[in-house]
């Protein structure tokens, strides 16, 4: 393997050693999914609570899918005989690879994995060991087992086991290669039944690729295999086996250089530099070169491009376009198979994955893809034949396609009856805001309110705008220079165009400029702003322009804050839009989605040291927003004191706020002052305050100061990798929200959707 340097100046090997060693060895741990907080929990988790589930499963083995983790548990199994780039290093040395495979399953598809490294190389013994694991797992992923033994091992296990068995080195690679070839042929305007395919390498992956290509329509007589012994021809004895012999040709040709003539596709799964530039020159028009050897391909893309400028090129490396990476498919194939209780992964299921991947590459790129690749995402073309591993839409396309194929071909033991609900569940996994945002999204689709963006030239706003238009969530209005917006939309691979798909307010040429200046000066002229300063602000301050548009009813809500200081944007909103009736101050509400669940925090962004009256007012406003999400608010007023245990200034303030709330919002479920752990644990709270007015864990946490709230927000975000929705600005007369510079396009979209619903409610 190569030893390039990472950005810290360490070699890849040095960084990898540190990564695997600290802060604790390895990459995996086991987390319980049920509480173990007391003796009763322990009795439920083990004896005697396990007895009844055991009896039920003994009577009905299918019940294990509902009573245990088996239905979402996959074994990654290897004997370490063919580890990519390392060869036969044995089972123990292969363990870092298998742990890595496990974390990819979890990260990309929420599939749980045990990695199992077995010290066996004989086919029958490997088969017996793996087959004996069937009661534990819902699927088997074979990994890094050398050919030709891997073919026989997989075949025997598929025949013996009633769960999916999938050798990813074979089929994962084949599926991605198949998708790339379909898209490459579309660009080259060629028919699959007419193409000539030449391979370099005849191992497990290469043969699986060829088998799948035949299913896709490539004719066997048009396939030419070469390996270390040259062309696979009829009568050859060296290094031949029954799987390779299927593709043996009746020919006098003996070398790759001889058979490459006129080839439409070169498929390399062999070694570096075996494909020479002069060979590439003799290939057919617009050839597809899949040089997949790692770390160094059969030909470097630059050399192939110089030899044939019309060539389409894929490699196995992440530093070149069109990376063939198995993570593009294997997590999602298992996701779909597990979700329908498939007994095997059929050819139909693999074909469904091929077509789903190929189709996704022809869709518009997502923000996640662009972010992972330097902010610019390619659209379908020579440099974008297959999706990138960071495209989070992969699970939304592949898993349902595989699940449907399993149902269609009769191997699904638990068919999906509500595909819309299934897709919603996958979407919630992809975007953790999906569940809590669902009622907001549903309401927004019926409102179609006008939301104006102060930073309309920002990439995140453009991506959110396209999604909003596609999903009919709102009517975006963007402030910015039209030519800049158009060029950036084109650069980011977006279809939307200014003045065709959405309205643009150009600060340099808007015909309403004089009216806006007059309106603005009338609002701030007695607050130290001169007429000249007003003219400058309306020409250069896009938050002022957006706020004036909302005030003049030319827009219904505004979003700003992607650039600049929060306080500056808040000043402009306060000056132009002002507070709502009966509201005396503004506050910031943040929604966090973490491993704990959904929780709202306030005031995270506005008031440094609120009074008891301000805290009470903020709590009421925040509770209204919590209800908008379809959640019953349960507010806890937090302090270092737990129901009178301390008599600090902050504790007295929060006690007073609780009294005020009991008077102004008697129906609100609220209590305090209390410590954070009491707020989030009903059991703990009942020990210290059995008569608490909260009936469950709090979901609205109200802090005594800006410092406390903001510190808690950012600590939870980082420590738990929690998703932040917000901040939601409480108090303006019309919906206006100030985001933060770290917000993503998904965060912008969430706030646009929420603002649209606020307008509807108001």
């Amino acid at each position: 393997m190569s030893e390039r340097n990472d950005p810290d100046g360490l070699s890849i090997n040095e960084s990898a050693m540190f990564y695997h060693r600290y802060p604790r060895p390895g990459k995996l741990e086991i987390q319980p999914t049920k509480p173990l907080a007391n003796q009763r929990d322990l009795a439920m988790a083990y004896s005697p609570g396990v007895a009844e589930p055991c009896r039920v499963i003994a009577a009905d083995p299918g019940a294990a899918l509902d009573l245990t983790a088996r239905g979402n548990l996959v074994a990654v199994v290897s004997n370490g005989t063919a580890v990519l780039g390392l060869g036969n290093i044995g089972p123990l040395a292969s363990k870092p690879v298998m742990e890595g495979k496990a974390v990819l399953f979890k990260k990309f598809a929420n599939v749980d994995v045990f990695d199992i490294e077995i010290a066996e190389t004989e086919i029958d013994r490997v088969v017996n060991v793996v087959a004996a694991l069937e009661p534990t797992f819902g699927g088997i992923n074979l990994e890094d087992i050398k050919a030709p033994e891997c073919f026989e091992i997989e075949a025997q296990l598929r025949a013996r086991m009633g769960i999916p068995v999938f050798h990813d080195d074979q089929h994962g690679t084949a599926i991605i290669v198949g998708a790339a070839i379909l898209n490459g042929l579309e660009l080259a305007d060629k028919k699959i039944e007419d193409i000539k395919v030449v391979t370099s390498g005849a191992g497990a992956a290469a043969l699986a690729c060829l088998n799948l290509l035949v299913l896709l329509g490539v004719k066997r007589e048009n396939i030419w295999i070469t390996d270390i012994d040259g062309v696979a021809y009829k009568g050859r004895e060296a290094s031949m086996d029954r799987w390779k012999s299927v593709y043996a040709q009746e020919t006098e040709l003996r070398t790759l250089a001889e058979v490459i003539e006129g080839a439409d596709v070169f498929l390399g799964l062999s070694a570096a530099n075996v494909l020479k530039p002069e060979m590439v020159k003799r290939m057919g028009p617009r050839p597809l070169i899949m040089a997949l050897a790692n770390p160094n391909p059969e030909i470097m893309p630059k050399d192939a491009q110089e030899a044939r400028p019309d060539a389409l090129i894929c490699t196995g490396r992440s530093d070149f376009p069109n990376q063939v990476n198995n993570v593009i498919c294997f997590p999602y194939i298992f996701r779909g198979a597990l979700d329908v209780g498939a007994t095997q992964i059929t050819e139909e299921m693999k074909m469904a994955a091929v077509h789903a991947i190929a189709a996704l590459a022809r869709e518009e790129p997502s923000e996640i893809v662009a972010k992972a690749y330097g902010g610019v995402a390619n659209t379908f073309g020579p440099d974008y034949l297959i999706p990138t591993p960071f495209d989070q839409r992969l699970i939304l396309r592949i898993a349902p396609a595989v699940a449907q194929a399993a149902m269609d071909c009769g191997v699904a033991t638990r068919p999906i009856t509500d595909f819309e609900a299934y897709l919603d569940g996958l979407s919630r996994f992809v975007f953790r805001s999906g569940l809590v945002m669902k009622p907001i999204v549903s309401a927004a689709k019926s409102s179609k309110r006008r939301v104006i963006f102060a930073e309309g030239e920002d990439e995140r706003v453009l991506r959110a705008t396209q999604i909003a238009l596609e999903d009919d969530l709102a009517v975006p209005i963007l402030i910015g220079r039209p030519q800049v917006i158009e060029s950036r939309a084109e650069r980011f691979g977006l279809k939307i165009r200014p003045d065709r798909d959405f309205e643009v307010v150009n600060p340099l040429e808007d015909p309403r400029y004089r009216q806006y200046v007059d309106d603005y000066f009338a609002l701030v002229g007695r607050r130290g702003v001169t007429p000249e300063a007003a003219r400058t602000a309306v020409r250069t301050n896009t938050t002022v322009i957006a706020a004036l548009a909302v005030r003049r009813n030319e827009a219904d809500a505004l979003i700003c804050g992607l650039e600049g200081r929060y306080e500056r944007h808040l000043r402009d909103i306060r000056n132009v839009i002002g507070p709502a009736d009966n509201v005396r101050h503004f506050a910031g509400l943040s929604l966090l989605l973490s491993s704990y669940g959904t929780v709202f925090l306030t005031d995270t962004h506005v008031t440094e040291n609120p009074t008891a009256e301000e805290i009470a007012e903020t709590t009421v406003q925040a509770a209204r927003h919590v209800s908008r999400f379809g959640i019953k608010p349960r507010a806890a007023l937090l302090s270092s004191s737990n129901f009178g245990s301390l008599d600090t200034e902050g504790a007295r303030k929060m006690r007073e706020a609780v009294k005020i709330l009991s008077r102004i919002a008697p129906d609100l479920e609220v209590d305090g002052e209390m410590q954070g752990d009491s707020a989030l644990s009903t059991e703990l709270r009942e020990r210290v305050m059995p008569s608490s007015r909260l009936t469950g864990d709090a979901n609205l946490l109200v802090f005594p100061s800006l410092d406390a709230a903001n510190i808690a927000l950012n600590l939870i975000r980082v420590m738990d990798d929690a998703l932040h929705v917000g901040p939601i600005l409480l108090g303006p007369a019309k919906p206006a929200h100030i985001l933060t510079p770290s917000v993503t396009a998904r965060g912008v979209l969430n706030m646009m959707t929420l603002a649209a619903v606020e307008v509807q409610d108001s």
Side-chain angles (χ1 to χ4, degrees):
M1 291 187 174
S2 63
E3 191 174 335
R4 292 169 291 169
N5 286 345
D6 71 6
D8 297 323
L10 298 175
S11 73
I12 291 296
N13 290 348
E14 291 171 327
S15 296
M17 290 296 289
F18 186 90
Y19 175 86
H20 282 81
R21 185 173 283 142
Y22 300 105
R24 54 184 294 181
K27 301 186 285 283
L28 297 173
E29 67 177 3
I30 295 175
Q31 290 282 354
T33 60
K34 299 295 190 294
L36 291 169
N38 52 42
Q39 184 62 37
R40 183 178 185 278
D41 290 343
L42 184 60
M44 290 294 100
Y46 197 52
S47 183
V50 293
E52 183 60 18
C54 289
R55 283 191 288 265
V56 171
I57 294 171
D60 176 16
L65 297 176
D66 297 319
L67 297 172
T68 74
R70 181 174 185 254
N72 193 53
L73 187 60
V74 167
V76 172
V77 181
S78 180
N79 61 6
T81 54
V83 178
L84 181 64
L86 298 173
N88 186 356
I89 60 174
L92 182 59
S94 75
K95 188 171 178 63
V97 179
M98 305 312 134
E99 284 189 358
K101 194 71 176 281
V103 298
L104 294 179
F105 264 110
K106 187 66 177 178
K107 170 68 176 179
F108 288 101
N110 201 28
V111 173
D112 296 318
V113 167
F114 291 153
D115 64 291
I116 298 177
E117 296 75 30
I118 58 177
E120 294 290 354
T121 56
E122 294 181 12
I123 291 174
D124 290 345
R125 299 189 65 160
V126 172
V127 169
N128 287 335
V129 169
V130 178
L133 300 173
E134 183 168 352
T136 302
F137 296 100
I140 303 291
N141 184 103
L142 300 175
E143 191 76 13
D144 292 349
I145 300 173
K146 73 182 184 71
E149 289 89 339
C150 61
F151 302 124
E152 191 63 41
I153 289 170
E154 185 189 42
Q156 289 191 30
L157 288 173
R158 286 177 55 127
R160 286 180 57 174
M161 302 182 78
I163 58 176
V165 178
F166 186 81
H167 186 205
D168 183 46
D169 299 323
Q170 293 183 57
H171 308 299
T173 303
I175 287 166
I176 305 163
V177 165
I181 288 178
L182 287 181
N183 281 344
L185 295 180
E186 179 172 320
L187 287 179
D189 194 23
K190 296 179 181 180
K191 295 181 179 180
I192 195 166
E193 61 268 23
D194 298 333
I195 65 170
K196 177 182 177 180
V197 178
V198 174
T199 77
S200 174
L207 291 171
C209 289
L210 296 179
N211 293 338
L212 190 61
L213 289 176
V214 170
L215 291 175
L216 288 169
V218 177
K219 295 179 180 178
R220 287 183 186 271
E221 58 266 28
N222 291 339
I223 293 174
W224 297 75
I225 286 181
T226 69
D227 59 14
I228 195 170
D229 293 302
V231 174
Y233 60 89
K234 290 184 179 179
R236 194 185 102 175
E237 296 182 0
S239 304
M240 294 297 288
D241 53 52
R242 62 188 177 93
W243 297 279
K244 195 185 302 184
S245 297
V246 171
Y247 297 101
Q249 293 275 15
E250 188 73 59
T251 180
E252 297 298 322
L253 304 178
R254 293 294 184 264
T255 67
L256 173 61
E258 292 174 329
V259 298
I260 199 70
E261 185 73 40
D264 298 288
V265 175
F266 169 80
L267 175 58
L269 287 150
S270 55
N273 304 318
V274 300
L275 184 66
K276 307 301 181 183
E278 55 268 24
M279 298 181 191
V280 175
K281 292 178 181 179
R282 293 169 38 229
M283 294 181 70
R286 205 159 194 196
L288 174 58
I289 298 171
M290 308 202 70
L292 307 183
N294 258 321
N296 298 314
E298 285 79 3
I299 186 170
M300 295 300 290
K302 179 176 179 291
D303 296 333
Q305 208 77 62
E306 287 178 355
R308 288 293 296 273
D310 62 337
L312 307 170
I313 305 167
C314 299
T315 71
R317 289 173 46 155
S318 60
D319 52 346
F320 294 115
N322 297 322
Q323 183 195 14
V324 174
N325 187 328
N326 286 17
V327 77
I328 291 173
C329 73
F330 73 79
Y332 317 116
I333 290 172
F334 271 97
R335 180 73 279 154
L338 293 172
D339 290 339
V340 294
T343 57
Q344 60 179 294
I345 294 176
T346 65
E347 299 302 325
E348 292 88 349
M349 294 161 72
K350 289 187 284 186
M351 294 284 280
V354 170
H355 290 291
I357 294 169
L360 178 56
R362 297 191 291 269
E363 294 186 30
E364 294 158 16
S366 71
E367 176 217 6
I368 299 295
V369 179
K371 188 175 181 180
Y373 289 88
V376 180
N378 291 319
T379 54
F380 179 59
D383 289 336
Y384 195 73
L385 295 176
I386 46 178
T388 63
F390 287 95
D391 194 328
Q392 290 191 320
R393 296 170 297 176
L394 285 163
I395 191 173
L396 303 177
R397 305 296 186 270
I398 300 173
V402 170
Q404 184 64 62
M407 293 162 57
D408 292 343
C409 62
V411 298
T413 62
R414 294 184 297 158
I416 295 170
T417 56
D418 187 343
F419 245 88
E420 183 176 349
Y422 177 60
L423 292 172
D424 283 346
L426 294 177
S427 296
R428 290 196 295 271
F429 168 71
V430 174
F431 304 114
R432 287 173 290 171
S433 60
L435 178 60
V436 71
M437 289 296 295
K438 186 172 179 57
I440 302 296
V441 171
S442 298
K445 287 187 176 182
S446 63
S447 69
K448 299 181 182 178
R449 301 295 179 170
R450 301 164 298 170
V451 181
I452 190 167
F453 289 93
E455 294 93 356
E457 297 176 0
D458 191 282
E459 174 191 355
R460 295 162 291 181
V461 171
L462 294 173
R463 293 189 182 280
T465 295
Q466 173 147 312
I467 297 172
L469 291 171
E470 289 175 349
D471 293 350
D472 206 20
L473 296 176
V475 179
I477 303 171
L478 275 56
I479 300 176
R481 294 160 294 178
Q483 66 275 18
V484 173
I485 292 174
E486 182 165 5
S487 65
R488 289 184 179 178
E490 185 174 354
R491 177 189 177 204
F492 300 136
L494 305 176
K495 290 181 179 177
I496 56 172
R497 293 295 180 268
D499 296 323
R500 183 193 72 186
D501 302 308
F502 55 90
E503 179 184 346
V504 173
V505 176
N506 184 352
L508 303 179
E509 297 182 4
D510 195 274
R512 298 164 293 185
Y513 171 72
R514 293 186 181 278
Q515 300 171 31
Y516 274 41
V517 170
D518 291 344
D519 290 347
Y520 185 57
F521 184 72
L523 293 167
V524 299
R526 295 183 179 275
R527 299 180 188 176
V529 177
T530 65
E532 181 60 31
R535 285 191 289 271
T536 301
V538 174
R539 186 72 79 189
T540 62
N541 188 329
T542 55
T543 299
V544 167
I545 298 170
L548 287 166
V550 171
R551 183 180 179 89
R552 290 162 53 91
N553 293 319
E554 294 166 356
D556 301 309
L558 80 84
I559 303 290
C560 63
L562 282 81
E563 298 175 3
R565 295 177 60 84
Y566 190 96
E567 295 79 6
R568 177 178 67 80
H569 296 286
L570 181 62
R571 177 203 65 203
D572 294 333
I573 290 171
R574 182 182 282 117
N575 286 342
V576 178
I577 294 179
D581 294 340
N582 302 317
V583 170
R584 288 171 291 181
H585 83 295
F586 293 90
L589 175 68
S590 290
L591 165 59
L592 284 179
L593 296 112
S594 67
S595 60
Y596 168 82
T598 299
V599 64
F600 295 81
L601 289 72
T602 195
D603 171 10
T604 55
H605 283 81
V606 179
T607 306
E608 180 178 352
N609 187 23
T611 65
E613 291 77 11
E614 290 172 333
I615 288 171
E617 182 180 284
T618 295
T619 303
V620 173
Q621 293 183 69
R624 293 196 190 106
H625 272 275
V626 174
S627 298
R628 185 172 284 120
F629 286 87
I631 300 172
K632 180 182 178 182
R634 292 190 295 269
L637 273 60
L638 302 182
S639 169
S640 59
S641 171
N642 215 21
F643 300 104
S645 63
L646 296 175
D647 194 34
T648 63
E649 179 182 349
R652 291 192 294 271
K653 179 170 65 173
M654 300 308 272
R655 284 181 216 142
E656 180 62 25
V658 171
K659 293 179 182 178
I660 296 171
L661 284 166
S662 66
R663 184 177 70 253
I664 66 174
D667 296 331
L668 177 62
E669 194 172 315
V670 58
D671 208 345
E673 85 290 4
M674 70 180 76
Q675 295 172 354
D677 52 357
S678 295
L680 297 178
S681 172
T682 302
E683 181 182 13
L684 179 60
R685 186 173 62 252
E686 287 178 348
R687 293 179 189 172
V688 296
M689 182 54 60
S691 60
S692 172
R693 289 187 286 273
L694 291 184
T695 59
D697 297 350
N699 52 33
L700 172 56
L701 305 181
V702 182
F703 291 83
S705 69
L706 175 64
D707 279 348
N710 195 267
I711 290 169
L713 167 68
N714 289 298
L715 282 175
I716 297 170
R717 286 177 63 184
V718 172
M719 294 175 68
D720 196 61
D721 192 26
L723 178 65
H724 179 213
V725 178
I728 302 165
L729 185 61
L730 306 177
K734 294 187 176 183
H737 297 292
I738 308 166
L739 306 185
T740 58
S742 63
V743 69
T744 64
R746 177 59 54 170
V748 173
L749 180 69
N750 284 336
M751 291 306 300
M752 182 199 314
T753 308
L754 179 60
V757 174
E758 281 186 78
V759 176
Q760 181 178 346
D761 290 349
S762 63

